[in-house]
Each structure stands twice: as structure tokens, then as C-alpha cells.
Amino acid sequence: MDGNRELIQEIWDTYIRFVYTIELSLEWVNSPLFTSDRPDSKLHSVRKYLNVEQNNELDDYLKEITSALFEVAEKSDGETAKKKSRVIQFSNSEAARAALFITQSVTTGTTRPKSRDYMLSAAIVSIYSSFETFAGALLETIYFRQPKAISGNPSISLNEIVDLSDRRSILKKIASRQAESELQEPITAWLEKLTRHSGNPLPRKRWDWHEPWRHICALSAIRNCVVHSGGRVDRKLIDRMSEIGQKSAMKSEGELIELREEDILRGIESCLNAATRLCIGLSVNQTTSEPSSIGPRAESSTESKVLHWITTLQWDLIDRKQYRIARIIGSCRPPLSDEFVRGVDVATWSSLTLEGIDYSQDGLEALQWNHRLASPLHKYALLNRCDELHEAVLEAITEGYISKIDLLFSPEYILIRECLDDRLEDLRQEWEINAQQNDKGAV
């Protein structure tokens, strides 16, 4: 049993590192460094603080700069400058500082790596490489903890055995070597191995693979093309995309791949989706005799534990406004086996709401919300029934179902706090006054 607990913990640690790595990739994609090729919007605000005379001086300066740039651009290599630039004299320091600010902002902006093509290509490489690293770590963990899962009979030299000295180190070496070897195989081969280990094997025909697996294969092919061919479509890319039924999405050989931000976001979603499925499936399938969830059924204790960890991770992500990631990893949860709402369901629905995505709330009312003390509060917040939520909060605080501290600060109650709006501030002030009065009474 201790070995199983360690295996589950190691799978989870590998998974959570991957999720946080993807979060960094998403932050990079959303960075202001890459959001626009246009000059900083602050430049358009400068003129509002200058009077007419100062703005006229600034205009003269900008026209002179523009004229000089045009002359340089149109001049042939052998020509010498025919026009001597005029020196602009500023009568006011504000106009001079505005001119300097604009000049520095523009020149600084041009040195930033703002190319969207560069950013999108680099993001694809980063996201897929992170997933491949995650997959390798999973394989190594499984083979170290469950050596019988290794196919074949891997060998190790006598010198290595002498150097490693103990059984644990020898198994670790063999597991690492086996995982590294399998990652050298085509992605389709090691995805088949991982999904089989997780208890959810992929169809034999790759054309029958569903998402996210088929799209991850496409990401692998695009990543290789970017790294090895500078992003130009080559025969290898066309052949690999044909294997998974994606050839129609490709441009002609020799043309540059065109990536959009939507492609990056889809790649993130596919990798997170696959990673979450593998985390749940491997945790259950490698530690119990039960198959992992692919349809409604009673949860095993292992599955319940992993779903609880996922829920905690979702609230942590939501607290940092990473609603997209919280929503994606929650969408991979096994279906409800009964009518009881789980914590992972609440976190997923909350992330959808906070992200501003419309989703069907049909049937939410009829589900069983009363098996967890705070569940009715989440129901009212999700259904935007603020009056009932307010009454339920008062009752929950009075009866001690939840604490004031949790309601005011815990990530789990973010949507509840938003729904309460001004009423929450009234409650907060009331509780603060009561606490102060109790202190005075105690004195």
C-alpha cells in the first residue's frame, strides 16, 4: 500500500508541475511584449497635456524626423545626403520632454521581439516540449514503481550495477533508460503505451483516434517542422499529418506554416486535457484492480482522492484568474455516477462562469446539493439567485457551516463573493464592528 501511495503522489507531482508550466506558457502568450505591433497607447495621451503652442512645436519635430527617415529610406547606397536636417528649438520644456518621450518609446518598442510569428512558433515548441517531458516523467515513474510494466527484458552492464550498488538505484536507472528509449519512438507509439497503462487504450486505427490525442500528434509534427525546417512545410510534415487524417489542414510543401493564437490555445487545451486524463487513469489503473472511469459509475477511493486534488488545484488557479486552465482540467473529470454534486463539478462550473462562457444550467437545480454543507451556497451563486444566497450565507455563518474567514478570503467562495456584491461589504463591516465590540467587552 505504501508503494501505491508513493506512485499516486509521484504521478500527481509530475502532473501539477506540467500544469504550472503550461500556465507560464499561457502568461507568455498573453504578455504585453507580444500583444501588439502598434506603438504604446500612452503615446496618444501625451498631446492632451500640451497647449496649442507646445503641440505645434511637437508637430514640427515629428515632421522633421519623418522627413529625415523618408530621405534615408529613398536614398541609394551611392548617394550622399542632399538635405541638412533642421534643428528644432523648443521654447517649452514640456514640449521637449514630450518629444524625447515619444522618440525613446518608439525606438525601445522597435527592439522588442514583437513578431507574432516568432512568438507563436516558440509557444508551440514550448507547449509540446513540456508535454513530452511530462510523458517521459510519467513513463519513468511507472516503470520504476511497477517494473513488470516494462516490455521486453532491458539490460544493464555489470559496471553500472557496481556503481549503483543498491536495487532501488538500479531500477531507477533502468526505468529512466526505458522511458528515454520509448520517447525516441514515434509519438503515436508512446501515446499508445501511456493510454494503455492508464486503462483507456486508443483505437488501433489512428484515424479513429479522438481528441485530444490526434491533435497532440499534429502538435508534435508542427513542432518538429518549426525546429528542423524553420517552419516551412516539408514532406515529413505532410506524411505525418496524413497518418492522422490532418493533411487537408496543411499548406503546400515549401510554404511557411501560418499559426494563429487560436492554434496555441487549442494546443494548450489538448495537452492539459490529455495530461489530466492520464493523471486520473494512471493513478487508478496502476494502483487498483478497477478500471479508470470512462462512464458513470461509483468512484474508487483513489479516484476520489485525485479528484479532490484536482479541485484544490482548480481553486488555486481560479484565485489567480487562470479560469481557462481551471475549466480545462475540470472538464476532463469523470461523469457524475449519481446526482450528488462533487467539489470538482462546482469548481469547473465556477471557472466557466468567471471566464464568461455560456453553458447550459439545465438540470443543476435537480441535482443533490445538500451532502456538503457549503454546496447550496454554490448552487445559488451559479444560478445567480443572489437573494437566496444572502439568506443561505447568513444561516451558514450562524450555524457554523462555514467560517467568516473562509467566506471572505477562501478561493472556493470567489463566485459567491461576486454574487453577494455590496451585501458582502455590509456583512464584512458588521463582522468587523462586532469583533471590535467583543474586544472592548472582554476588556
Side-chain angles (χ1 to χ4, degrees):
M1 291 300 293
D2 287 342
N4 284 346
R5 281 197 293 269
E6 290 175 357
L7 174 57
I8 295 169
Q9 187 63 55
E10 287 182 25
I11 291 172
W12 176 255
D13 291 343
T14 302
Y15 171 72
I16 200 170
R17 283 196 300 271
F18 172 72
V19 172
Y20 286 138
T21 301
I22 290 297
E23 181 181 345
L24 290 175
S25 296
L26 187 58
E27 286 293 308
W28 183 38
V29 170
N30 293 330
S31 168
L33 197 61
F34 298 109
T35 53
S36 175
D37 287 325
R38 291 175 299 178
D40 196 309
S41 61
K42 293 192 295 291
L43 300 184
H44 302 292
S45 302
V46 168
R47 290 184 178 277
K48 295 191 298 184
Y49 303 98
L50 303 179
N51 59 33
V52 174
E53 181 182 353
Q54 293 165 346
N55 268 307
N56 288 337
E57 290 184 354
L58 180 60
D59 283 337
D60 288 341
Y61 168 79
L62 294 176
K63 288 175 183 176
E64 187 65 26
I65 291 291
T66 303
S67 175
L69 290 173
F70 270 119
E71 183 181 358
V72 171
E74 294 174 354
K75 184 179 63 175
S76 64
D77 292 339
E79 286 187 86
T80 56
K82 298 177 181 179
K83 175 184 175 183
K84 186 175 181 179
S85 296
R86 182 167 58 94
V87 177
I88 303 296
Q89 297 291 336
F90 292 101
S91 62
N92 184 278
S93 62
E94 289 294 336
R97 292 302 302 173
L100 179 62
F101 170 74
I102 290 175
T103 303
Q104 289 177 335
S105 297
V106 171
T107 54
T108 300
T110 59
T111 64
R112 295 175 184 168
K114 280 191 173 182
S115 167
R116 296 291 286 174
D117 292 339
Y118 166 81
M119 182 277 293
L120 295 172
S121 297
I124 282 287
V125 172
S126 172
I127 292 162
Y128 174 76
S129 298
S130 297
F131 181 78
E132 189 176 271
T133 301
F134 164 75
L138 284 183
L139 287 169
E140 183 175 339
T141 297
I142 294 166
Y143 295 151
F144 173 61
R145 294 293 176 183
Q146 309 279 18
K148 291 183 179 180
I150 298 176
S151 59
N153 188 23
S155 61
I156 187 168
S157 70
L158 179 60
N159 288 337
E160 288 175 315
I161 293 176
V162 172
D163 291 339
L164 295 170
S165 73
D166 63 271
R167 180 177 181 275
R168 181 182 177 89
S169 298
I170 293 171
L171 286 176
K172 189 73 173 174
K173 182 72 173 181
I174 292 173
S176 175
R177 183 175 295 170
Q178 183 69 19
E180 184 178 346
S181 174
E182 291 183 1
L183 284 182
Q184 300 305 311
E185 300 173 5
I187 181 176
T188 49
W190 53 261
L191 278 182
E192 287 172 333
K193 285 190 176 72
L194 272 173
T195 52
R196 187 168 63 251
H197 289 317
S198 73
N200 293 310
L202 293 168
R204 292 184 63 185
K205 294 182 179 180
R206 288 163 188 163
W207 282 59
D208 295 332
W209 286 15
H210 48 75
E211 301 297 357
W213 313 108
R214 190 160 63 170
H215 187 236
I216 289 176
C217 292
L219 284 179
S220 170
I222 293 171
R223 176 264 178 200
N224 289 341
C225 181
V226 168
V227 171
H228 301 298
S229 302
R232 292 193 178 277
V233 176
D234 56 15
R235 176 49 52 186
K236 287 184 179 179
L237 177 62
I238 293 173
D239 291 343
R240 293 186 67 185
M241 297 296 271
S242 297
E243 289 179 9
I244 55 174
Q246 300 271 323
K247 183 178 178 181
S248 61
M250 281 287 89
K251 303 189 75 173
S252 300
E253 189 171 353
E255 292 188 288
L256 283 171
I257 297 173
E258 289 186 4
L259 294 172
R260 302 165 300 168
E261 187 169 335
E262 291 78 10
D263 298 319
I264 307 304
L265 297 178
R266 186 184 173 199
I268 286 174
E269 183 154 358
S270 293
C271 289
L272 283 171
N273 189 311
T276 306
R277 291 173 185 272
L278 289 172
C279 176
I280 297 172
L282 290 170
S283 298
V284 174
N285 197 55
Q286 293 296 314
T287 58
T288 70
S289 58
E290 310 170 53
S292 62
S293 291
I294 54 175
R297 62 165 188 80
E299 291 174 6
S300 68
S301 58
T302 300
E303 188 172 271
S304 296
K305 177 189 292 187
V306 175
L307 289 178
H308 173 71
W309 287 347
I310 288 176
T311 305
T312 303
L313 174 58
Q314 284 180 286
W315 290 123
D316 178 48
L317 291 162
I318 288 171
D319 192 35
R320 297 196 309 282
K321 302 186 186 303
Q322 295 292 347
Y323 308 132
R324 179 190 297 272
I325 298 178
R327 184 239 319 154
I328 293 170
I329 66 176
S331 66
C332 304
R333 68 196 187 281
L336 285 168
S337 57
D338 48 37
E339 298 302 312
F340 288 96
V341 175
R342 303 160 299 183
V344 68
D345 301 313
V346 171
T348 304
W349 293 329
S350 297
S351 61
L352 279 165
T353 302
L354 291 165
E355 195 179 355
I357 294 178
D358 291 331
Y359 64 99
S360 175
Q361 295 184 332
D362 295 342
L364 284 187
E365 181 72 48
L367 295 174
Q368 296 295 322
W369 292 85
N370 296 320
H371 66 296
R372 295 175 70 241
L373 295 175
S375 290
L377 305 184
H378 292 295
K379 178 181 74 172
Y380 295 137
L382 287 164
L383 296 174
N384 201 32
R385 285 156 50 177
C386 301
D387 291 339
E388 291 170 271
L389 173 62
H390 183 244
E391 294 299 321
V393 164
L394 293 176
E395 180 182 356
I397 295 294
T398 301
E399 298 296 329
Y401 298 157
I402 62 172
S403 73
K404 301 183 184 74
I405 299 300
D406 283 340
L407 181 67
L408 290 173
F409 300 105
S410 173
E412 183 179 348
Y413 299 100
I414 286 176
L415 190 60
I416 291 171
R417 290 195 288 270
E418 285 200 4
C419 190
L420 287 172
D421 199 17
D422 293 340
R423 301 183 196 189
L424 178 66
E425 179 59 22
D426 294 339
L427 288 173
R428 189 195 64 75
Q429 290 182 8
E430 179 185 336
W431 294 336
E432 187 175 332
I433 292 170
N434 290 343
Q436 293 170 355
Q437 290 177 342
N438 289 338
D439 286 341
K440 291 178 181 178
V443 175

